[in-house]
Amino acid sequence: MDESYENKQNEIGISDIFRVLLKKIRLLIIVFIIGGVVGGLFGFIRYKDEKYYGAEVKYEISIMATTYTYQANAVVDKKPANAPSYVYKQEHISMLLDHLGSEQFLAEILKEIYPSAVENVTVLKDGKQVIDLDSATVSEEAKNTFVTYLSWLKSAITFSFDHDVNPNAFSMLVSVKGDAEKASELLAAARTLVPEEVSGTVDEEGNVVKKGRIIVPDSSGTLNNDGSGIITRYTAECDPMTLIRSHRLNAGNTQKKTVLFAAIFALGALLVACVTVVVADRSDERLRDYDAFAKSVGIPVLGVIPSIDELADQMNTKQNSKGETDK
């Protein structure tokens, strides 16, 4: 009976848990507040210096048509013409963005903001200055400097597109950590170089000065033997749909992280405190063990009030015994 009673007394029910917690409510509130303060300080210290500057610029590519009237190999008239409705395939834009994110093009942007990082790794090949890190004339220090800045640039500028929303558009995101001035310089350089890289450039007579990286329809029309005639040429224009200046990209992030970690730490501390309080209370046998209590106070225990569950078990046992006797 003593063993059965002790087992019953050691069982933890929902009511027991709430009873224990209500008795310790002041302690739990203090633990909750301390956890929130510690979490808030952690979030503030961890994210107070994570400030990103820059902007997102969305570009749209459109086809432009220009009609050139020639007379004896000389342009005598130039006027806009009706351009065809041209929709780029997903692979076209994907290939374009692969190029814009390549080291080859990023090095062009790097020339604008860190010219020395690129100049020290260029060598002369076929009459052109090209980047060649394997050249014996390039020092290890120059290589390391170039690679470091290029790695930074890869993380500072990214390109993306959503072909389902607009098949002729893509986005450029400039995001620089902790340096608003450098973010502004990078954004200015990229906003100038990206459209030129996409569209290319032509002179007044329609000749391609720099070939663009996006597909355009072939020219139409013909020239006579003397160079006269009419030619319609097509070019791509990469126009920004948004004009956004460099600004703080993650404004309010420190406050959000502070609140988030304060809530996480406070709830975590409260949960741990609740479990600790309940376990400590249930493990305290000073009043539950009546033999130990009698010895500690030096007074014999005259009687023990059994729990309702124990009385029910005893009644069930008696009824089962009586039933077996009747049989």
Side-chain angles (χ1 to χ4, degrees):
M1 177 177 175
D2 291 343
E3 184 179 355
S4 173
Y5 177 77
E6 185 177 356
N7 291 336
K8 289 292 182 181
Q9 291 299 315
N10 285 332
E11 290 181 359
I12 301 177
I14 298 298
S15 60
D16 296 324
I17 294 176
F18 280 106
R19 175 181 59 80
V20 173
L21 295 181
L22 287 174
K23 290 173 61 178
K24 308 293 184 181
I25 190 68
R26 183 180 298 176
L27 174 63
L28 296 180
I29 291 176
I30 294 174
V31 171
F32 180 82
I33 293 174
I34 293 175
V37 171
V38 172
L41 288 174
F42 173 81
F44 176 78
I45 294 173
R46 171 65 177 79
Y47 292 96
K48 66 183 180 66
D49 294 325
E50 286 204 355
K51 299 177 181 179
Y52 289 88
Y53 301 92
E56 182 179 22
V57 183
K58 296 183 178 180
Y59 291 99
E60 185 172 35
I61 304 170
S62 56
I63 300 299
M64 308 298 294
T66 305
T67 298
Y68 295 85
T69 301
Y70 291 88
Q71 185 173 359
N73 291 322
V75 177
V76 295
D77 187 32
K78 180 181 72 173
K79 60 182 179 180
N82 294 327
S85 179
Y86 198 88
V87 178
Y88 287 100
K89 296 180 180 179
Q90 185 169 346
E91 54 264 31
H92 293 155
I93 304 298
S94 180
M95 291 175 62
L96 171 64
L97 298 196
D98 286 344
H99 170 72
L100 294 179
S102 67
E103 294 184 358
Q104 177 185 353
F105 177 65
L106 292 181
E108 296 297 321
I109 298 179
L110 204 57
K111 287 180 182 179
E112 299 294 323
I113 54 178
Y114 289 113
S116 60
V118 179
E119 290 173 357
N120 293 333
V121 294
T122 56
V123 297
L124 191 63
K125 283 190 176 181
D126 300 327
K128 296 181 179 180
Q129 290 286 342
V130 297
I131 296 173
D132 187 359
L133 298 182
D134 296 327
S135 175
T137 61
V138 178
S139 67
E140 287 297 324
E141 183 181 358
K143 293 178 185 179
N144 294 334
T145 301
F146 175 76
V147 170
T148 299
Y149 279 112
L150 190 63
S151 177
W152 167 81
L153 190 56
K154 287 181 179 179
S155 63
I157 183 170
T158 55
F159 299 91
S160 62
F161 73 101
D162 190 336
H163 193 265
D164 295 331
V165 175
N166 188 341
N168 287 15
F170 66 92
S171 297
M172 176 186 70
L173 175 63
V174 171
S175 177
V176 177
K177 181 179 179 180
D179 194 334
E181 182 178 353
K182 190 57 62 178
S184 181
E185 292 179 9
L186 176 56
L187 181 63
R191 286 178 59 179
T192 300
L193 295 178
V194 167
E196 293 180 356
E197 192 71 13
V198 174
S199 305
T201 55
V202 296
D203 60 16
E204 288 295 325
E205 296 185 357
N207 300 313
V208 176
V209 177
K210 179 182 178 181
K211 187 177 181 180
R213 293 286 176 170
I214 196 69
I215 298 172
V216 295
D218 294 332
S219 301
S220 59
T222 57
L223 293 177
N224 300 319
N225 293 332
D226 61 355
S228 62
I230 299 176
I231 297 290
T232 300
R233 290 190 171 90
Y234 303 96
T235 56
E237 284 197 359
C238 182
D239 300 315
M241 293 187 289
T242 53
L243 295 174
I244 304 176
R245 293 184 178 179
S246 181
H247 61 283
R248 173 81 181 273
L249 295 176
N250 60 339
N253 182 64
T254 303
Q255 292 85 343
K256 293 177 182 177
K257 295 297 184 181
T258 300
V259 173
L260 175 62
F261 279 96
I264 292 174
F265 275 58
L267 293 176
L270 181 62
L271 178 61
V272 173
C274 289
V275 173
T276 303
V277 166
V278 172
V279 171
D281 183 80
R282 300 310 298 180
S283 63
D284 187 356
E285 299 292 341
R286 288 175 297 176
L287 295 180
R288 294 189 181 89
D289 189 343
Y290 50 85
D291 287 335
F293 177 75
K295 292 178 181 179
S296 65
V297 297
I299 301 175
V301 176
L302 299 178
V304 177
I305 301 175
S307 65
I308 295 177
D309 290 337
E310 183 180 355
L311 292 175
D313 290 342
Q314 292 177 358
M315 292 179 63
N316 290 334
T317 303
K318 290 180 179 179
Q319 289 177 357
N320 291 336
S321 299
K322 184 179 179 182
E324 292 178 357
T325 303
D326 293 340
K327 290 180 181 179

